[in-house]
Amino acid sequence: MVTLDSEGRCVILEFRAFVLIGVYSPANRDESRDDFRLSFLTALDARVRNLVAAGKRVFLTGDLNIIRSELDTANPEEQQRMYGMTREEYMSTPARRILNQLLEGGTILGERDCGRERSVLWDMCRGFNEGSKGMFTCWNQKINARPGNFGSRIDYVLCSLDMKDWFSASNIQEGLMVILTNMIQHCSLPKLTL
């Protein structure tokens, strides 16, 4: 457990009304960190489930570095080809499987894993935008993919199932960067150099 805590990837704040968990999950860059990544996600899954079982309301938010479904990436067929996977293998990768078992309506092929028999969280974005395409949060900067919105959704705002009625809308504003860029170009303020 010390190894999992060593990178500061999770902040947990407990309030009277809910527990807020902010995460930056390890990415899937290469096979060298697969065990660490899965250990982190397994521990996160257990923590969320334990909090919900204790009667706590939970928000899980942040960069999970997982594409939940084919709808959450611009070109799932290309990714499947690139990794040499069938659709079933793609949808059943260990990280995706953990996330989808945590979520109400998550795609799970086959039987649920022991200890993950029921869903405990709700994906707010998909809850209000079930079939919407192009709701991405991550783009390849090397090829400037953001202006064309050719990306993936790997960042989430999830909440306990008993909190669903707290909200009336949720959205990803895909054109926000373009709007901000246009505002800066037409603004008389001096440009900042970082």
Side-chain angles (χ1 to χ4, degrees):
M1 193 63 170
V2 173
T3 305
L4 288 178
D5 291 337
S6 68
E7 295 186 10
R9 292 183 171 274
C10 186
V11 175
I12 301 174
L13 302 172
E14 186 164 350
F15 301 97
R16 230 185 278 157
F18 58 85
V19 176
L20 174 64
I21 304 173
V23 299
Y24 176 58
S25 179
N28 189 21
R29 300 280 182 245
D30 58 50
E31 294 176 7
S32 68
R33 302 243 311 158
D34 282 353
D35 290 341
F36 180 82
R37 174 181 165 83
L38 290 178
S39 294
F40 177 88
L41 293 170
T42 299
L44 181 63
D45 176 82
R47 174 64 63 95
V48 168
R49 289 179 184 281
N50 288 339
L51 286 167
V52 170
K56 305 281 186 178
R57 293 184 186 104
V58 177
F59 273 111
L60 173 59
T61 185
D63 183 348
L64 295 179
N65 272 311
I66 303 169
I67 299 166
R68 177 184 167 183
S69 72
E70 294 167 310
L71 186 60
D72 293 310
T73 190
N75 195 347
E77 297 84 11
E78 179 59 32
Q79 286 188 3
Q80 291 166 25
R81 255 191 314 277
M82 184 172 70
Y83 293 112
M85 296 179 164
T86 64
R87 178 188 183 275
E88 291 75 22
E89 291 168 333
Y90 179 80
M91 290 307 300
S92 295
T93 60
R96 190 169 292 117
R97 187 170 172 82
I98 290 170
L99 177 61
N100 278 321
Q101 289 180 94
L102 198 57
L103 297 175
E104 180 180 70
T107 301
I108 303 155
L109 302 178
E111 296 294 317
R112 284 180 165 269
D113 298 342
C114 182
R116 297 184 177 121
E117 289 82 11
R118 67 182 191 97
S119 303
V120 296
L121 294 180
W122 182 57
D123 181 348
M124 291 174 63
C125 178
R126 283 290 162 227
F128 289 105
N129 306 282
E130 194 173 314
S132 296
K133 295 182 179 181
M135 300 188 81
F136 305 138
T137 62
C138 179
W139 304 265
N140 185 337
Q141 299 304 313
K142 292 178 185 175
I143 62 169
N144 197 26
R146 188 168 184 176
N149 197 32
F150 192 83
S152 298
R153 182 171 74 113
I154 61 172
D155 303 279
Y156 297 86
V157 178
L158 312 172
C159 69
S160 301
L161 298 177
D162 60 352
M163 297 172 73
K164 288 167 70 170
D165 64 350
W166 287 23
F167 308 96
S168 59
S170 175
N171 204 347
I172 294 174
Q173 297 177 341
E174 64 188 68
L176 188 60
M177 183 178 179
V178 175
I179 293 168
L180 287 175
T181 302
N182 288 339
M183 286 173 52
I184 290 169
Q185 289 173 349
H186 296 95
C187 185
S188 61
L189 295 174
K191 292 185 179 179
L192 298 175
T193 304
L194 301 177

